[in-house]
Tab-separated table of all heavy atoms in Angstrom:
chain	number	residue	atom	x	y	z
A	1	GLY	N	0.779	-1.220	0.000
A	1	GLY	CA	0.000	0.000	0.000
A	1	GLY	C	0.814	1.274	0.000
A	1	GLY	O	0.237	2.368	-0.033
A	2	GLY	N	2.139	1.154	0.057
A	2	GLY	CA	2.998	2.314	-0.028
A	2	GLY	C	3.452	2.897	1.298
A	2	GLY	O	4.112	3.944	1.317
A	3	ARG	N	3.112	2.249	2.400
A	3	ARG	CA	3.600	2.730	3.688
A	3	ARG	C	5.091	2.433	3.812
A	3	ARG	O	5.535	1.319	3.535
A	3	ARG	CB	2.838	2.078	4.840
A	3	ARG	CG	3.285	2.557	6.216
A	3	ARG	CD	2.505	1.872	7.322
A	3	ARG	NE	1.116	2.274	7.320
A	3	ARG	CZ	0.635	3.338	7.947
A	3	ARG	NH1	1.453	4.120	8.649
A	3	ARG	NH2	-0.648	3.619	7.886
A	4	THR	N	5.848	3.417	4.261
A	4	THR	CA	7.299	3.282	4.336
A	4	THR	C	7.803	3.405	5.760
A	4	THR	O	7.200	4.081	6.603
A	4	THR	CB	8.006	4.333	3.473
A	4	THR	OG1	7.629	5.647	3.922
A	4	THR	CG2	7.622	4.178	2.015
A	5	THR	N	8.902	2.738	6.031
A	5	THR	CA	9.626	2.881	7.283
A	5	THR	C	11.100	3.034	6.961
A	5	THR	O	11.572	2.527	5.941
A	5	THR	CB	9.426	1.677	8.218
A	5	THR	OG1	9.877	0.483	7.568
A	5	THR	CG2	7.962	1.519	8.600
A	6	TYR	N	11.821	3.733	7.841
A	6	TYR	CA	13.229	4.013	7.606
A	6	TYR	C	14.050	3.827	8.868
A	6	TYR	O	13.581	4.091	9.982
A	6	TYR	CB	13.426	5.442	7.106
A	6	TYR	CG	12.825	5.714	5.760
A	6	TYR	CD1	11.541	6.218	5.641
A	6	TYR	CD2	13.549	5.455	4.598
A	6	TYR	CE1	10.984	6.469	4.400
A	6	TYR	CE2	12.994	5.700	3.358
A	6	TYR	CZ	11.712	6.207	3.262
A	6	TYR	OH	11.172	6.454	2.020
A	7	LEU	N	15.274	3.397	8.671
A	7	LEU	CA	16.263	3.462	9.726
A	7	LEU	C	16.405	4.925	10.130
A	7	LEU	O	16.469	5.815	9.269
A	7	LEU	CB	17.584	2.903	9.207
A	7	LEU	CG	18.762	2.814	10.154
A	7	LEU	CD1	18.509	1.766	11.227
A	7	LEU	CD2	20.024	2.463	9.364
A	8	HIS	N	16.452	5.195	11.414
A	8	HIS	CA	16.462	6.565	11.888
A	8	HIS	C	17.575	7.399	11.252
A	8	HIS	O	17.369	8.558	10.892
A	8	HIS	CB	16.594	6.601	13.411
A	8	HIS	CG	16.591	7.977	13.989
A	8	HIS	ND1	15.464	8.759	14.026
A	8	HIS	CD2	17.591	8.722	14.527
A	8	HIS	CE1	15.748	9.920	14.568
A	8	HIS	NE2	17.031	9.922	14.886
A	9	SER	N	18.748	6.800	11.087
A	9	SER	CA	19.891	7.550	10.597
A	9	SER	C	19.778	7.944	9.120
A	9	SER	O	20.531	8.794	8.655
A	9	SER	CB	21.185	6.759	10.814
A	9	SER	OG	21.178	5.548	10.089
A	10	VAL	N	18.846	7.339	8.383
A	10	VAL	CA	18.687	7.678	6.968
A	10	VAL	C	17.392	8.421	6.685
A	10	VAL	O	17.207	8.939	5.574
A	10	VAL	CB	18.767	6.431	6.059
A	10	VAL	CG1	19.998	5.608	6.388
A	10	VAL	CG2	17.498	5.588	6.155
A	11	GLU	N	16.503	8.496	7.646
A	11	GLU	CA	15.217	9.155	7.438
A	11	GLU	C	15.427	10.621	7.063
A	11	GLU	O	16.195	11.338	7.694
A	11	GLU	CB	14.358	9.040	8.689
A	11	GLU	CG	12.904	9.420	8.476
A	11	GLU	CD	12.004	8.945	9.589
A	11	GLU	OE1	12.529	8.650	10.684
A	11	GLU	OE2	10.789	8.854	9.379
A	12	GLY	N	14.743	11.033	6.023
A	12	GLY	CA	14.894	12.389	5.523
A	12	GLY	C	15.929	12.514	4.429
A	12	GLY	O	15.939	13.516	3.705
A	13	ARG	N	16.788	11.529	4.314
A	13	ARG	CA	17.817	11.528	3.269
A	13	ARG	C	17.546	10.483	2.195
A	13	ARG	O	17.853	10.704	1.021
A	13	ARG	CB	19.200	11.264	3.868
A	13	ARG	CG	19.649	12.314	4.876
A	13	ARG	CD	21.109	12.095	5.279
A	13	ARG	NE	21.308	10.823	5.981
A	13	ARG	CZ	22.093	9.840	5.556
A	13	ARG	NH1	22.766	9.965	4.411
A	13	ARG	NH2	22.224	8.724	6.268
A	14	PHE	N	16.993	9.344	2.596
A	14	PHE	CA	16.717	8.244	1.669
A	14	PHE	C	15.222	8.155	1.401
A	14	PHE	O	14.397	8.435	2.286
A	14	PHE	CB	17.174	6.906	2.253
A	14	PHE	CG	18.664	6.729	2.367
A	14	PHE	CD1	19.545	7.777	2.156
A	14	PHE	CD2	19.174	5.484	2.694
A	14	PHE	CE1	20.918	7.604	2.268
A	14	PHE	CE2	20.543	5.293	2.807
A	14	PHE	CZ	21.414	6.350	2.597
A	15	THR	N	14.872	7.725	0.203
A	15	THR	CA	13.485	7.498	-0.159
A	15	THR	C	13.353	6.161	-0.872
A	15	THR	O	13.999	5.941	-1.895
A	15	THR	CB	12.940	8.606	-1.076
A	15	THR	OG1	13.083	9.879	-0.432
A	15	THR	CG2	11.464	8.364	-1.377
A	16	ILE	N	12.523	5.283	-0.325
A	16	ILE	CA	12.249	4.004	-0.956
A	16	ILE	C	10.987	4.135	-1.802
A	16	ILE	O	10.040	4.819	-1.413
A	16	ILE	CB	12.105	2.880	0.101
A	16	ILE	CG1	11.992	1.510	-0.567
A	16	ILE	CG2	10.934	3.144	1.029
A	16	ILE	CD1	12.036	0.347	0.430
A	17	SER	N	10.978	3.499	-2.948
A	17	SER	CA	9.817	3.526	-3.820
A	17	SER	C	9.718	2.209	-4.575
A	17	SER	O	10.650	1.400	-4.560
A	17	SER	CB	9.878	4.712	-4.790
A	17	SER	OG	11.009	4.623	-5.636
A	18	ARG	N	8.590	2.026	-5.223
A	18	ARG	CA	8.378	0.786	-5.965
A	18	ARG	C	7.608	1.073	-7.236
A	18	ARG	O	6.844	2.040	-7.315
A	18	ARG	CB	7.630	-0.239	-5.104
A	18	ARG	CG	6.223	0.197	-4.698
A	18	ARG	CD	5.677	-0.667	-3.569
A	18	ARG	NE	5.559	-2.066	-3.974
A	18	ARG	CZ	5.484	-3.090	-3.127
A	18	ARG	NH1	5.532	-2.869	-1.818
A	18	ARG	NH2	5.375	-4.327	-3.581
A	19	ASP	N	7.799	0.224	-8.225
A	19	ASP	CA	7.060	0.280	-9.469
A	19	ASP	C	6.612	-1.147	-9.756
A	19	ASP	O	7.364	-1.944	-10.310
A	19	ASP	CB	7.914	0.826	-10.606
A	19	ASP	CG	7.119	1.055	-11.880
A	19	ASP	OD1	6.081	0.411	-12.076
A	19	ASP	OD2	7.551	1.895	-12.692
A	20	ASN	N	5.392	-1.457	-9.347
A	20	ASN	CA	4.915	-2.830	-9.462
A	20	ASN	C	4.798	-3.287	-10.917
A	20	ASN	O	5.014	-4.460	-11.218
A	20	ASN	CB	3.565	-2.975	-8.756
A	20	ASN	CG	3.679	-2.784	-7.261
A	20	ASN	OD1	4.728	-3.024	-6.663
A	20	ASN	ND2	2.591	-2.341	-6.637
A	21	ALA	N	4.452	-2.371	-11.810
A	21	ALA	CA	4.331	-2.726	-13.220
A	21	ALA	C	5.660	-3.183	-13.792
A	21	ALA	O	5.701	-4.007	-14.705
A	21	ALA	CB	3.778	-1.549	-14.018
A	22	LYS	N	6.749	-2.625	-13.280
A	22	LYS	CA	8.087	-2.992	-13.733
A	22	LYS	C	8.739	-4.041	-12.849
A	22	LYS	O	9.875	-4.449	-13.121
A	22	LYS	CB	8.981	-1.763	-13.800
A	22	LYS	CG	8.551	-0.729	-14.822
A	22	LYS	CD	9.511	0.447	-14.841
A	22	LYS	CE	9.111	1.461	-15.894
A	22	LYS	NZ	10.033	2.623	-15.919
A	23	ASN	N	8.031	-4.461	-11.795
A	23	ASN	CA	8.593	-5.411	-10.837
A	23	ASN	C	9.943	-4.908	-10.321
A	23	ASN	O	10.946	-5.635	-10.312
A	23	ASN	CB	8.747	-6.799	-11.461
A	23	ASN	CG	8.173	-7.900	-10.588
A	23	ASN	OD1	7.205	-7.704	-9.856
A	23	ASN	ND2	8.776	-9.083	-10.677
A	24	ALA	N	9.931	-3.656	-9.897
A	24	ALA	CA	11.169	-3.011	-9.494
A	24	ALA	C	10.990	-2.230	-8.201
A	24	ALA	O	9.885	-1.816	-7.838
A	24	ALA	CB	11.663	-2.073	-10.591
A	25	MET	N	12.100	-2.027	-7.516
A	25	MET	CA	12.145	-1.235	-6.305
A	25	MET	C	13.374	-0.342	-6.371
A	25	MET	O	14.391	-0.716	-6.976
A	25	MET	CB	12.217	-2.143	-5.069
A	25	MET	CG	12.339	-1.390	-3.751
A	25	MET	SD	12.371	-2.474	-2.290
A	25	MET	CE	13.872	-3.413	-2.558
A	26	TYR	N	13.289	0.815	-5.720
A	26	TYR	CA	14.361	1.793	-5.806
A	26	TYR	C	14.685	2.361	-4.430
A	26	TYR	O	13.862	2.363	-3.519
A	26	TYR	CB	13.963	2.944	-6.735
A	26	TYR	CG	13.462	2.478	-8.072
A	26	TYR	CD1	12.098	2.325	-8.307
A	26	TYR	CD2	14.348	2.175	-9.095
A	26	TYR	CE1	11.631	1.882	-9.530
A	26	TYR	CE2	13.890	1.731	-10.324
A	26	TYR	CZ	12.532	1.587	-10.535
A	26	TYR	OH	12.079	1.146	-11.760
A	27	LEU	N	15.884	2.857	-4.306
A	27	LEU	CA	16.287	3.589	-3.116
A	27	LEU	C	17.054	4.822	-3.557
A	27	LEU	O	18.189	4.721	-4.033
A	27	LEU	CB	17.153	2.726	-2.197
A	27	LEU	CG	17.512	3.367	-0.850
A	27	LEU	CD1	16.260	3.513	0.019
A	27	LEU	CD2	18.571	2.535	-0.118
């Protein structure tokens, strides 16, 4: 559903995303 969680030390700097149509994930 798109809910994200982050390691505290990377929050605000890293962004995780996904593209289900492409069967891919990104950071």
Side-chain angles (χ1 to χ4, degrees):
R3 181 180 292 273
T4 59
T5 59
Y6 295 93
L7 182 68
H8 181 71
S9 63
V10 310
E11 193 164 19
R13 299 188 296 119
F14 291 10
T15 303
I16 187 172
S17 62
R18 63 195 298 160
D19 187 335
N20 294 333
K22 296 181 178 180
N23 229 32
M25 177 178 63
Y26 309 95
L27 186 68

